[in-house]
Amino acid sequence: MVLSSLLSLVLLASAGRAKQTTTPGFPSAKQQCPYRPAARLETTALLPTCPLPGYIGILPDESANAIVWDYPPKCISPPAKDNTTVSRIDCLFTSTTFRNGHGISLISSTLTTSHIIAVGSFDDEAPPLGVQRRESLGPAYEIVPVEGKGLGVVAKRKIKRGEIVMSDYPVLLIGTGFLGSAQPHHRRRMLKQAINQLPEKLRSKVKGLSRGAEKYEVDAILGPNANTVMIGEQDNEQMHVGLFAEAARINHGCRPNVHSRFSERRLTMEIMAHVAIEPGEEILMSYVPLTTVRDERRKYLKDHWGFDCKCQLCTGTKNEIEESEFYRRRQKSLKETIESARAEGFFKDAIVMSGEWHEFSEWDMVPPLAPEYHDSLADLHYSNGDLFNATRYARMAYDGWVRFGSVDDEKLEHSKSVLAQVEKEFEKSLKFEKN
């Protein structure tokens, strides 16, 4: 979701959001080197002397793939809470070679930086076949002037439902721990330097983004363009602010035709189509949760982005508005009930309600991503002891992830593993029945 100001970002950091991570956690503070910003995590047994945060280069025990930053890391440290804890070190790291020359500036703790490097987030791997096939179709979108909105993103060719429209990398990635603890003048100075260290082409793209009403340039740029993303899982370090220069051009729509997914493993924001999009049609993404009712939605958009939404859902007839809000309230209620039924072991009821939830989402033109939906059904049928349908939906999920062609193959590999497991158990059950 795009946020309106850095103050909003700091407030989010302290709001205690639920953790959403699929990567390994951190070792304890006693096991790791807190001043280890430029390479993988090392235990104190292997690395008794910690290099300073500004160290650049490859230590003797490192692999040839260690990260080398283009500028000496600039670090600040908030006061330690007590004498027994190591104070967090927040540093600015810039790589102009990230993603084959795209470039990135990262402001985060040394522990978080070590974490994302250790899980391979900075590795430039060959794109999966699905990505290559999609790229062979040509660009899916272009950024052009849109009447009454400034610049926007418009479909350049026909886009299929469930297709990845855009893959974007962060220009800036900023830990909310830093945003919440740094003095305002230190924060602005670090952010300004983070932008100035980017490659010239990328720097120009950032400075060309729309701006909010904030007094200082960096605040005005980040305010209306930043997204929150989840990284790691230690305290509030999992929440970061990401600036994605291409995705930031997507305008708001109360009935969006795309939604986003962020991959921590690949540091990539993927924009997917809810429905088929025709050439020349504007690509829209909701800035607020889809279940937000009309009056609350319009107030939020006005307060945070300064515009009165005039889309069909906000300006339509009373019956049109009430129908849409009924669909969305029903989707929310069903989703919550499905999760409750799953947790309590009422899997058959959860399966029935999943079908109803899917129907309502289709009617409101915001259906879920097909392989995610099939993954969920495969799990529910397996838990209900129905190996036939578990296998059926597991195959559909796996085939869907293959066609989806994400840069992050984690979902695909998980789906492949689930399919292998349920197929094996299903075949075993068939042999048992024959005997």
Side-chain angles (χ1 to χ4, degrees):
M1 181 193 302
V2 184
L3 298 170
S4 63
S5 66
L6 288 178
L7 176 60
S8 299
L9 302 174
V10 175
L11 290 175
L12 274 177
S14 61
R17 277 192 170 187
K19 296 173 183 176
Q20 303 174 20
T21 180
T22 56
T23 55
F26 291 81
S28 70
K30 292 182 180 180
Q31 293 177 309
Q32 62 191 358
C33 182
Y35 302 96
R36 186 68 164 153
R40 65 183 183 276
L41 292 173
E42 295 285 359
T43 63
T44 53
L46 296 177
L47 188 65
T49 303
C50 294
L52 294 176
Y55 179 83
I56 302 177
I58 301 175
L59 295 179
D61 65 318
E62 293 186 66
S63 71
N65 295 323
I67 301 296
V68 178
W69 308 106
D70 292 275
Y71 299 86
K74 181 178 181 181
C75 305
I76 61 173
S77 176
K81 294 181 180 179
D82 54 62
N83 294 329
T84 62
T85 59
V86 178
S87 176
R88 188 184 72 249
I89 308 295
D90 291 311
C91 297
L92 163 61
F93 307 97
T94 299
S95 169
T96 59
T97 58
F98 172 74
R99 292 297 175 269
N100 300 310
H102 175 274
I104 186 175
S105 280
L106 168 67
I107 303 177
S108 191
S109 73
T110 55
L111 299 184
T112 300
T113 305
S114 291
H115 168 75
I116 63 176
I117 293 173
V119 299
S121 302
F122 271 74
D123 297 344
D124 285 322
E125 300 175 350
L129 289 177
V131 177
Q132 297 177 41
R133 286 196 297 267
R134 186 169 60 251
E135 289 176 346
S136 69
L137 299 175
Y141 67 92
E142 57 184 342
I143 298 173
V144 297
V146 176
E147 185 178 356
K149 300 181 181 180
L151 293 178
V153 180
V154 173
K156 196 171 181 179
R157 58 169 173 79
K158 185 176 179 62
I159 297 169
K160 295 180 180 180
R161 170 176 167 173
E163 181 182 342
I164 296 175
V165 179
M166 175 191 297
S167 293
D168 198 12
Y169 312 121
V171 176
L172 301 175
L173 200 56
I174 311 157
T176 49
F178 162 77
L179 291 174
S181 62
Q183 293 296 321
H185 61 287
H186 287 154
R187 170 176 54 78
R188 288 191 293 269
R189 189 179 304 164
M190 191 89 90
L191 289 170
K192 185 177 180 180
Q193 185 172 344
I195 294 173
N196 289 337
Q197 290 180 178
L198 294 169
E200 183 178 355
K201 183 178 179 181
L202 193 57
R203 185 167 65 248
S204 298
K205 186 180 289 189
V206 170
K207 295 196 172 184
L209 292 172
S210 61
R211 303 192 182 196
E214 289 80 4
K215 177 180 177 181
Y216 297 96
E217 182 184 39
V218 290
D219 295 350
I221 292 173
L222 286 175
N225 296 299
N227 297 70
T228 53
V229 295
M230 311 300 284
I231 296 176
E233 60 171 349
Q234 181 178 7
D235 300 327
N236 284 328
E237 289 298 323
Q238 81 276 15
M239 191 177 295
H240 282 63
V241 175
L243 179 63
F244 300 81
E246 292 279 301
R249 292 296 188 185
I250 301 176
N251 289 316
H252 166 77
C254 292
R255 176 167 279 158
N257 49 22
V258 299
H259 64 289
S260 65
R261 290 164 49 93
F262 176 73
S263 165
E264 174 191 4
R265 294 175 67 202
R266 304 305 305 142
L267 291 184
T268 303
M269 180 76 77
E270 292 179 323
I271 309 296
M272 292 83 59
H274 277 302
V275 293
I277 304 173
E278 297 298 322
E281 185 179 347
E282 185 177 7
I283 293 170
L284 301 170
M285 182 166 55
S286 180
Y287 291 2
V288 297
L290 291 176
T291 52
T292 309
V293 297
R294 174 184 176 271
D295 290 344
E296 292 179 8
R297 186 172 68 236
R298 296 195 78 191
K299 183 179 185 303
Y300 188 84
L301 293 171
K302 181 66 174 178
D303 291 345
H304 290 263
W305 285 276
F307 68 89
D308 293 309
C309 187
K310 298 180 180 179
C311 73
Q312 185 179 354
L313 278 187
C314 288
T315 60
T317 66
K318 182 179 179 181
N319 286 339
E320 288 174 337
I321 294 170
E322 287 181 350
E323 182 181 52
S324 174
E325 294 193 352
F326 168 74
Y327 287 156
R328 294 187 176 187
R329 285 194 302 269
R330 186 59 179 153
Q331 287 178 68
K332 182 180 180 181
S333 174
L334 282 168
K335 192 72 173 175
E336 292 171 350
T337 308
I338 290 167
E339 292 307 313
S340 177
R342 185 196 297 267
E344 295 177 18
F346 299 113
F347 303 114
K348 189 174 181 178
D349 293 336
I351 292 168
V352 173
M353 288 184 289
S354 292
E356 187 179 353
W357 169 76
H358 192 273
E359 285 184 2
F360 276 100
S361 66
E362 288 279 3
W363 291 338
D364 199 40
M365 298 175 63
V366 286
L369 189 63
E372 285 187 337
Y373 178 63
H374 294 146
D375 267 335
S376 176
L377 284 178
D379 178 66
L380 285 171
H381 281 291
Y382 180 79
S383 299
N384 195 46
D386 184 348
L387 291 176
F388 174 81
N389 278 310
T391 303
R392 173 190 169 207
Y393 284 109
R395 286 173 180 165
M396 293 170 68
Y398 176 71
D399 290 343
W401 286 121
V402 170
R403 291 193 302 271
F404 184 59
S406 173
V407 296
D408 186 346
D409 62 0
E410 181 180 30
K411 292 283 188 181
L412 174 62
E413 290 303 314
H414 173 73
S415 183
K416 182 179 180 180
S417 174
V418 169
L419 176 58
Q421 178 183 342
V422 296
E423 282 185 331
K424 182 178 180 180
E425 293 193 28
F426 184 47
E427 290 175 2
K428 187 184 295 185
S429 69
L430 292 177
K431 290 180 181 179
F432 180 78
E433 290 178 1
K434 288 181 180 180
N435 295 332

